[in-house]
Amino acid sequence: MKNTSSKIRLGLCCQFLEEPIKFRNTTVKANSQMERTAALEKLARLCRENALALQSSLEFCASHGIGCFRINSQILPLKTHPECGYAMSDLPEGAEIVKLFQECGSFAREQNIRTCFHPDQFVVLNSPRPDVVTRSIEELEYQSEVAEWVNADVVNIHGGGGYGDKPAALKRFAKNLKRLSRRVRSRLTVENDDKTYTPSDLLPLCQETGIPLVYDAHHHRCLPDDLSIEAATEQALQTWNREPLFHISSPLEGWQGPRPNRHHDFIDSQDFPHCWESLELTVEVEAKAKEQAVLKLMQSLCTRNK
């Protein structure tokens, strides 16, 4: 199956619904109960299995016309944990594991598959707590290191909390950008959310710092501002110095339901903005049916455009 058009690539997020491709993880409790050498051997095995699963994921995307794959933040389990964390050189055959990830990057480049990361919610660059910011930076550095191996050009985060003063919070965000390495800064993007920061809130930050805006149309519908979808799209596009990346999802219980922010298993093609269709654009599909949702949307958009 081919993609919807030569210009739009649809993205699959992190895992599969039906395909037998699984990413492995472990818990702090399980790891900390093991002797360190044995724990590192287990972590090495999980990292290796995840590299092989990533290769299989990219092969699936290549064979089904899926143009982007979001890589799970825990692709290297417990990598930055204060007690259980590790360097790749600590792992048995760590260099070989890195090589497997680099081979994934080569395959992705050859097949024109985009890869990206979306760190977990605990990554908050504008937190007033220094320890949270430090931990967030460590996580961004780790994910950007893996991003370098696998040829990923986006590490996307939310704006963070408002803390009763959104302008001050965004100033902290901008200030803390200076603590990031070039490897992170070249990949970092920020996304509007459904609770705190609208596109109008974030666009000045993006214009000031050069950080692109990942425009999420579902979030914008849940937390509207003075911009239309068309205007937000146009202004978001102007923040990018590479192919823009946006998000699409549909509400679980419909737009009139009690919690329209919750994601549906699939995408209602009517929720896909018409103004996106002519763009050179990556659109990550945030839906619980995973690969089935991407393939169904692909078909729906092809039908809609006939």
Side-chain angles (χ1 to χ4, degrees), residues 56-79:
S56 296
S57 301
L58 296 171
E59 290 171 0
F60 177 90
C61 290
S63 64
H64 289 79
I66 296 174
C68 178
F69 185 73
R70 181 192 294 176
I71 299 171
N72 190 307
S73 297
Q74 299 302 316
I75 192 82
L76 303 183
L78 305 181
K79 179 67 169 65

PDB file of all heavy atoms in Angstrom, residues 56-79:
ATOM      1  N   SER A  56      12.863  -4.264  12.673  1.00  0.00           N
ATOM      2  CA  SER A  56      11.632  -4.886  12.164  1.00  0.00           C
ATOM      3  C   SER A  56      10.525  -3.847  11.969  1.00  0.00           C
ATOM      4  O   SER A  56       9.756  -3.910  11.003  1.00  0.00           O
ATOM      5  CB  SER A  56      11.149  -5.975  13.132  1.00  0.00           C
ATOM      6  OG  SER A  56      12.087  -7.027  13.216  1.00  0.00           O
ATOM      7  N   SER A  57      10.454  -2.877  12.888  1.00  0.00           N
ATOM      8  CA  SER A  57       9.454  -1.815  12.775  1.00  0.00           C
ATOM      9  C   SER A  57       9.672  -0.991  11.516  1.00  0.00           C
ATOM     10  O   SER A  57       8.720  -0.667  10.781  1.00  0.00           O
ATOM     11  CB  SER A  57       9.517  -0.903  14.002  1.00  0.00           C
ATOM     12  OG  SER A  57       9.286  -1.614  15.196  1.00  0.00           O
ATOM     13  N   LEU A  58      10.912  -0.655  11.251  1.00  0.00           N
ATOM     14  CA  LEU A  58      11.229   0.144  10.068  1.00  0.00           C
ATOM     15  C   LEU A  58      10.961  -0.645   8.790  1.00  0.00           C
ATOM     16  O   LEU A  58      10.497  -0.079   7.791  1.00  0.00           O
ATOM     17  CB  LEU A  58      12.685   0.607  10.129  1.00  0.00           C
ATOM     18  CG  LEU A  58      13.022   1.555  11.286  1.00  0.00           C
ATOM     19  CD1 LEU A  58      14.524   1.776  11.374  1.00  0.00           C
ATOM     20  CD2 LEU A  58      12.294   2.886  11.143  1.00  0.00           C
ATOM     21  N   GLU A  59      11.232  -1.943   8.825  1.00  0.00           N
ATOM     22  CA  GLU A  59      10.940  -2.781   7.662  1.00  0.00           C
ATOM     23  C   GLU A  59       9.440  -2.845   7.400  1.00  0.00           C
ATOM     24  O   GLU A  59       9.001  -2.806   6.245  1.00  0.00           O
ATOM     25  CB  GLU A  59      11.530  -4.180   7.873  1.00  0.00           C
ATOM     26  CG  GLU A  59      13.048  -4.206   7.824  1.00  0.00           C
ATOM     27  CD  GLU A  59      13.641  -5.531   8.252  1.00  0.00           C
ATOM     28  OE1 GLU A  59      12.869  -6.460   8.599  1.00  0.00           O
ATOM     29  OE2 GLU A  59      14.887  -5.648   8.238  1.00  0.00           O
ATOM     30  N   PHE A  60       8.650  -2.927   8.473  1.00  0.00           N
ATOM     31  CA  PHE A  60       7.193  -2.901   8.316  1.00  0.00           C
ATOM     32  C   PHE A  60       6.758  -1.578   7.687  1.00  0.00           C
ATOM     33  O   PHE A  60       5.936  -1.559   6.753  1.00  0.00           O
ATOM     34  CB  PHE A  60       6.496  -3.097   9.664  1.00  0.00           C
ATOM     35  CG  PHE A  60       5.001  -3.017   9.589  1.00  0.00           C
ATOM     36  CD1 PHE A  60       4.239  -4.156   9.360  1.00  0.00           C
ATOM     37  CD2 PHE A  60       4.337  -1.801   9.732  1.00  0.00           C
ATOM     38  CE1 PHE A  60       2.848  -4.078   9.261  1.00  0.00           C
ATOM     39  CE2 PHE A  60       2.955  -1.715   9.643  1.00  0.00           C
ATOM     40  CZ  PHE A  60       2.207  -2.864   9.409  1.00  0.00           C
ATOM     41  N   CYS A  61       7.275  -0.482   8.211  1.00  0.00           N
ATOM     42  CA  CYS A  61       6.911   0.826   7.665  1.00  0.00           C
ATOM     43  C   CYS A  61       7.280   0.919   6.186  1.00  0.00           C
ATOM     44  O   CYS A  61       6.481   1.398   5.368  1.00  0.00           O
ATOM     45  CB  CYS A  61       7.602   1.934   8.457  1.00  0.00           C
ATOM     46  SG  CYS A  61       6.982   2.157  10.140  1.00  0.00           S
ATOM     47  N   ALA A  62       8.466   0.444   5.842  1.00  0.00           N
ATOM     48  CA  ALA A  62       8.913   0.520   4.451  1.00  0.00           C
ATOM     49  C   ALA A  62       8.005  -0.276   3.531  1.00  0.00           C
ATOM     50  O   ALA A  62       7.689   0.155   2.411  1.00  0.00           O
ATOM     51  CB  ALA A  62      10.354   0.013   4.340  1.00  0.00           C
ATOM     52  N   SER A  63       7.552  -1.427   3.972  1.00  0.00           N
ATOM     53  CA  SER A  63       6.741  -2.303   3.118  1.00  0.00           C
ATOM     54  C   SER A  63       5.279  -1.874   3.045  1.00  0.00           C
ATOM     55  O   SER A  63       4.538  -2.353   2.187  1.00  0.00           O
ATOM     56  CB  SER A  63       6.831  -3.748   3.615  1.00  0.00           C
ATOM     57  OG  SER A  63       6.266  -3.881   4.909  1.00  0.00           O
ATOM     58  N   HIS A  64       4.853  -0.962   3.948  1.00  0.00           N
ATOM     59  CA  HIS A  64       3.452  -0.529   3.967  1.00  0.00           C
ATOM     60  C   HIS A  64       3.276   0.956   3.661  1.00  0.00           C
ATOM     61  O   HIS A  64       2.190   1.501   3.846  1.00  0.00           O
ATOM     62  CB  HIS A  64       2.824  -0.846   5.329  1.00  0.00           C
ATOM     63  CG  HIS A  64       2.605  -2.311   5.551  1.00  0.00           C
ATOM     64  ND1 HIS A  64       3.628  -3.166   5.919  1.00  0.00           N
ATOM     65  CD2 HIS A  64       1.487  -3.086   5.438  1.00  0.00           C
ATOM     66  CE1 HIS A  64       3.138  -4.396   6.047  1.00  0.00           C
ATOM     67  NE2 HIS A  64       1.860  -4.365   5.753  1.00  0.00           N
ATOM     68  N   GLY A  65       4.318   1.613   3.214  1.00  0.00           N
ATOM     69  CA  GLY A  65       4.196   3.017   2.827  1.00  0.00           C
ATOM     70  C   GLY A  65       4.039   3.975   3.979  1.00  0.00           C
ATOM     71  O   GLY A  65       3.543   5.090   3.801  1.00  0.00           O
ATOM     72  N   ILE A  66       4.446   3.554   5.185  1.00  0.00           N
ATOM     73  CA  ILE A  66       4.385   4.429   6.367  1.00  0.00           C
ATOM     74  C   ILE A  66       5.698   5.203   6.436  1.00  0.00           C
ATOM     75  O   ILE A  66       6.772   4.604   6.528  1.00  0.00           O
ATOM     76  CB  ILE A  66       4.137   3.610   7.642  1.00  0.00           C
ATOM     77  CG1 ILE A  66       2.765   2.934   7.569  1.00  0.00           C
ATOM     78  CG2 ILE A  66       4.231   4.498   8.882  1.00  0.00           C
ATOM     79  CD1 ILE A  66       2.466   1.981   8.703  1.00  0.00           C
ATOM     80  N   GLY A  67       5.606   6.510   6.414  1.00  0.00           N
ATOM     81  CA  GLY A  67       6.797   7.325   6.200  1.00  0.00           C
ATOM     82  C   GLY A  67       7.536   7.775   7.429  1.00  0.00           C
ATOM     83  O   GLY A  67       8.582   8.426   7.329  1.00  0.00           O
ATOM     84  N   CYS A  68       7.014   7.462   8.627  1.00  0.00           N
ATOM     85  CA  CYS A  68       7.662   7.938   9.851  1.00  0.00           C
ATOM     86  C   CYS A  68       7.390   6.953  10.977  1.00  0.00           C
ATOM     87  O   CYS A  68       6.307   6.353  11.043  1.00  0.00           O
ATOM     88  CB  CYS A  68       7.124   9.321  10.209  1.00  0.00           C
ATOM     89  SG  CYS A  68       7.784  10.046  11.741  1.00  0.00           S
ATOM     90  N   PHE A  69       8.369   6.783  11.855  1.00  0.00           N
ATOM     91  CA  PHE A  69       8.184   5.931  13.024  1.00  0.00           C
ATOM     92  C   PHE A  69       8.710   6.653  14.255  1.00  0.00           C
ATOM     93  O   PHE A  69       9.865   7.089  14.290  1.00  0.00           O
ATOM     94  CB  PHE A  69       8.919   4.599  12.872  1.00  0.00           C
ATOM     95  CG  PHE A  69       8.650   3.630  13.998  1.00  0.00           C
ATOM     96  CD1 PHE A  69       7.431   2.986  14.105  1.00  0.00           C
ATOM     97  CD2 PHE A  69       9.609   3.383  14.973  1.00  0.00           C
ATOM     98  CE1 PHE A  69       7.163   2.105  15.146  1.00  0.00           C
ATOM     99  CE2 PHE A  69       9.361   2.501  16.015  1.00  0.00           C
ATOM    100  CZ  PHE A  69       8.129   1.861  16.101  1.00  0.00           C
ATOM    101  N   ARG A  70       7.833   6.783  15.260  1.00  0.00           N
ATOM    102  CA  ARG A  70       8.243   7.372  16.538  1.00  0.00           C
ATOM    103  C   ARG A  70       8.838   6.277  17.418  1.00  0.00           C
ATOM    104  O   ARG A  70       8.210   5.239  17.641  1.00  0.00           O
ATOM    105  CB  ARG A  70       7.067   8.017  17.255  1.00  0.00           C
ATOM    106  CG  ARG A  70       7.468   8.669  18.588  1.00  0.00           C
ATOM    107  CD  ARG A  70       6.259   9.037  19.431  1.00  0.00           C
ATOM    108  NE  ARG A  70       5.460  10.085  18.812  1.00  0.00           N
ATOM    109  CZ  ARG A  70       4.308  10.531  19.324  1.00  0.00           C
ATOM    110  NH1 ARG A  70       3.803   9.992  20.425  1.00  0.00           N
ATOM    111  NH2 ARG A  70       3.638  11.484  18.703  1.00  0.00           N
ATOM    112  N   ILE A  71      10.016   6.532  17.934  1.00  0.00           N
ATOM    113  CA  ILE A  71      10.736   5.538  18.733  1.00  0.00           C
ATOM    114  C   ILE A  71      10.421   5.730  20.210  1.00  0.00           C
ATOM    115  O   ILE A  71      10.449   6.850  20.736  1.00  0.00           O
ATOM    116  CB  ILE A  71      12.247   5.651  18.476  1.00  0.00           C
ATOM    117  CG1 ILE A  71      12.533   5.378  16.987  1.00  0.00           C
ATOM    118  CG2 ILE A  71      13.034   4.689  19.346  1.00  0.00           C
ATOM    119  CD1 ILE A  71      13.958   5.662  16.576  1.00  0.00           C
ATOM    120  N   ASN A  72      10.116   4.625  20.866  1.00  0.00           N
ATOM    121  CA  ASN A  72       9.772   4.645  22.284  1.00  0.00           C
ATOM    122  C   ASN A  72      10.901   5.263  23.116  1.00  0.00           C
ATOM    123  O   ASN A  72      12.080   4.961  22.910  1.00  0.00           O
ATOM    124  CB  ASN A  72       9.502   3.209  22.744  1.00  0.00           C
ATOM    125  CG  ASN A  72       8.907   3.132  24.124  1.00  0.00           C
ATOM    126  OD1 ASN A  72       9.428   3.684  25.083  1.00  0.00           O
ATOM    127  ND2 ASN A  72       7.803   2.428  24.251  1.00  0.00           N
ATOM    128  N   SER A  73      10.526   6.094  24.074  1.00  0.00           N
ATOM    129  CA  SER A  73      11.525   6.756  24.920  1.00  0.00           C
ATOM    130  C   SER A  73      12.353   5.773  25.726  1.00  0.00           C
ATOM    131  O   SER A  73      13.492   6.078  26.120  1.00  0.00           O
ATOM    132  CB  SER A  73      10.826   7.736  25.881  1.00  0.00           C
ATOM    133  OG  SER A  73      10.181   8.760  25.177  1.00  0.00           O
ATOM    134  N   GLN A  74      11.812   4.586  26.006  1.00  0.00           N
ATOM    135  CA  GLN A  74      12.519   3.577  26.794  1.00  0.00           C
ATOM    136  C   GLN A  74      13.186   2.546  25.908  1.00  0.00           C
ATOM    137  O   GLN A  74      13.352   1.392  26.303  1.00  0.00           O
ATOM    138  CB  GLN A  74      11.541   2.906  27.754  1.00  0.00           C
ATOM    139  CG  GLN A  74      10.901   3.862  28.742  1.00  0.00           C
ATOM    140  CD  GLN A  74      11.929   4.604  29.582  1.00  0.00           C
ATOM    141  OE1 GLN A  74      12.887   4.008  30.057  1.00  0.00           O
ATOM    142  NE2 GLN A  74      11.738   5.896  29.753  1.00  0.00           N
ATOM    143  N   ILE A  75      13.595   2.963  24.719  1.00  0.00           N
ATOM    144  CA  ILE A  75      14.275   2.046  23.801  1.00  0.00           C
ATOM    145  C   ILE A  75      15.550   1.482  24.444  1.00  0.00           C
ATOM    146  O   ILE A  75      15.933   0.341  24.209  1.00  0.00           O
ATOM    147  CB  ILE A  75      14.593   2.762  22.467  1.00  0.00           C
ATOM    148  CG1 ILE A  75      15.037   1.771  21.396  1.00  0.00           C
ATOM    149  CG2 ILE A  75      15.613   3.874  22.639  1.00  0.00           C
ATOM    150  CD1 ILE A  75      13.933   1.070  20.687  1.00  0.00           C
ATOM    151  N   LEU A  76      16.186   2.278  25.304  1.00  0.00           N
ATOM    152  CA  LEU A  76      17.277   1.802  26.165  1.00  0.00           C
ATOM    153  C   LEU A  76      16.736   1.848  27.593  1.00  0.00           C
ATOM    154  O   LEU A  76      16.765   2.896  28.245  1.00  0.00           O
ATOM    155  CB  LEU A  76      18.526   2.681  26.037  1.00  0.00           C
ATOM    156  CG  LEU A  76      19.123   2.843  24.643  1.00  0.00           C
ATOM    157  CD1 LEU A  76      20.395   3.682  24.726  1.00  0.00           C
ATOM    158  CD2 LEU A  76      19.396   1.506  23.984  1.00  0.00           C
ATOM    159  N   PRO A  77      16.229   0.754  28.104  1.00  0.00           N
ATOM    160  CA  PRO A  77      15.534   0.766  29.403  1.00  0.00           C
ATOM    161  C   PRO A  77      16.401   1.304  30.548  1.00  0.00           C
ATOM    162  O   PRO A  77      17.584   0.953  30.659  1.00  0.00           O
ATOM    163  CB  PRO A  77      15.197  -0.709  29.625  1.00  0.00           C
ATOM    164  CG  PRO A  77      15.133  -1.297  28.256  1.00  0.00           C
ATOM    165  CD  PRO A  77      16.188  -0.570  27.469  1.00  0.00           C
ATOM    166  N   LEU A  78      15.799   2.173  31.347  1.00  0.00           N
ATOM    167  CA  LEU A  78      16.416   2.726  32.571  1.00  0.00           C
ATOM    168  C   LEU A  78      17.713   3.486  32.294  1.00  0.00           C
ATOM    169  O   LEU A  78      18.522   3.691  33.200  1.00  0.00           O
ATOM    170  CB  LEU A  78      16.695   1.601  33.596  1.00  0.00           C
ATOM    171  CG  LEU A  78      15.511   0.730  33.995  1.00  0.00           C
ATOM    172  CD1 LEU A  78      15.964  -0.304  35.037  1.00  0.00           C
ATOM    173  CD2 LEU A  78      14.371   1.556  34.551  1.00  0.00           C
ATOM    174  N   LYS A  79      17.897   3.958  31.079  1.00  0.00           N
ATOM    175  CA  LYS A  79      19.183   4.540  30.672  1.00  0.00           C
ATOM    176  C   LYS A  79      19.627   5.682  31.575  1.00  0.00           C
ATOM    177  O   LYS A  79      20.811   5.787  31.912  1.00  0.00           O
ATOM    178  CB  LYS A  79      19.079   5.041  29.228  1.00  0.00           C
ATOM    179  CG  LYS A  79      20.354   5.686  28.680  1.00  0.00           C
ATOM    180  CD  LYS A  79      21.472   4.690  28.528  1.00  0.00           C
ATOM    181  CE  LYS A  79      22.634   5.260  27.736  1.00  0.00           C
ATOM    182  NZ  LYS A  79      23.314   6.382  28.404  1.00  0.00           N
TER     183      LYS A  79
END
